[in-house]
Amino acid sequence: MAFMEKPPAGKVLLDDTVPLTAQIEASQSLHSHTISTLSLPLPPKKLIGNMEREFIAERQKGLQAYLDVITTHHILSNCELVKKFLDPNSYSVNYTEIALQHVSMFFRSEPKWEVVEPLKDIGWRIRKKYFLMKIKNQPKERLMLSWADLGPDKYLSDKDLQYAVKLLSSCSHPYIYKITFATANESSALVIRPFSEKGTLKDLIYKGKPKDPFLKKYCNPKKIQGLELQQIKTYGRQILEVLKFLHEKGFPYGHLHSANVMLDGDTCKLLDLENSLLGLPSFYRSYFSQFRKINTLEGVDVHCFGHLLYEMTYGRPPDTIPVDSFPPAPSVFVVSVLESILTCEAMKNGMPTVSRLLQMPLFSDVLLTNSEKPQFKIPTKLKEALKTSKECIEKRLTEEQKLIHQHRRLTRAQSHHGSEEEKKKRKILARKKSKRSAYESGEEHSAKYSNSNNSAGSGASSPLTSPSSPTPPSTAGASLIPPAPPPPPLPPAAPPPSTEVPAQPSPQPDVSASRGALLSSIQNFQKGTLKKTQTCDYSAPRIS
């Protein structure tokens, strides 16, 4: 498969670190039982009256609150059981069986290895399984085999991936845990390392046993206690040194957390360098994907180091990110480093570099006694492929951060719009608008009424017009034309109002009646009623 080529059909590369949420919308009664989204003993059940509507509604609220706690808990939300419960379609595959199939095929070509026992659920990844191994001719030596499926950030070609994974066994560094054997194919990878009975840095902090399940060891520790100041300084300096080494080599990491740091005496050694090659998402991705200034793998490593330093100092992870205030620490220098990484100001301004952290007082005076010379030769062609892969990983992170930022703004706007204060403001504005509209409509009605009265008054006072009538023959005979009938008499005046009743305005004269009488006389005019007259014409000239 060439670089950036899409995965085969049917191959879905999911990011298992994306938090899932669930909302209890309804419940139903089936065979006299109430089935809801979550069948847990919390909140308390009720034997009598458990079908009442009020009890079911109250129970749904309790279950929703319990479900919210699970989905927001960093470790529980990544648990396979929770993922299968919330998204059964995406998590229906049995990855333990798939891992066994791949391991069995591997043993056919490498018969010197033998499985002692599966290490069930010792890691947090759903698509990564562990087995305790041994070499047949060295039965007392114990090794750990890890099998992992490819992740959504796999951008190397199959050829480059296989070469890079095999190259890991040649890496030699005092603070990188040795890899005995590593191989990869087009769908997964397999890595073998020595098994440490002492466990990881996380086992030291939480007093856990290496073979115990991840949830049992770290989800709810019985005793919370940080490390000594000298341990914090030494382990922190060693981890920063190996991060600086990888950054200088151009090798992407991005998977730092306390369970990925193996303890070998008083020395910390980094685990799982193959994760970035396989495209697996980071343990803290749900945290740093919220902040757009953490957009490079170097910045991701520094942010993850902040989580690890907090865990070493206080014996537990931070409750929220960013951190507003820090509890008392063994040294003010510890708090100074934490403030430069985990505070709100640090999230806005960006992460400090590894070199800057090494110069801070907490780590600058630590003496490293290990004299082993680091060796990790990466061919130029593979360096270019790793650089391109790193850029693609960072691009996907940036796009995801952009989507989260847009969703957060939309959610904030909807929440603000639906708040009680905003509802009250909208009600007040609606009332003011309604009153203004009513006032404006009243003014408009009054103006129309006034205009109609003015037009009626002007019509009564103006001279009456009528259709054109025949012109009389002459002015001399005008006296013989009967005059038009007089207009009807005006109605009598209203009686004077009494003192008890308020006076009413005097009625206006009936203009329409007068106009009708005039039109009637014009229409009834008959020319035949006029008398004939004799005209003496004296206009002819006289001759005397």
Side-chain angles (χ1 to χ4, degrees), residues 77-88:
S77 61
N78 287 307
C79 174
E80 184 176 5
L81 294 175
V82 174
K83 295 283 188 181
K84 284 186 175 181
F85 176 77
L86 298 178
D87 191 4

Side-chain angles (χ1 to χ4, degrees), residues 146-158:
S146 63
W147 171 91
D149 198 11
L150 300 182
D153 281 326
K154 186 262 181 185
Y155 296 108
L156 291 173
S157 66
D158 289 347

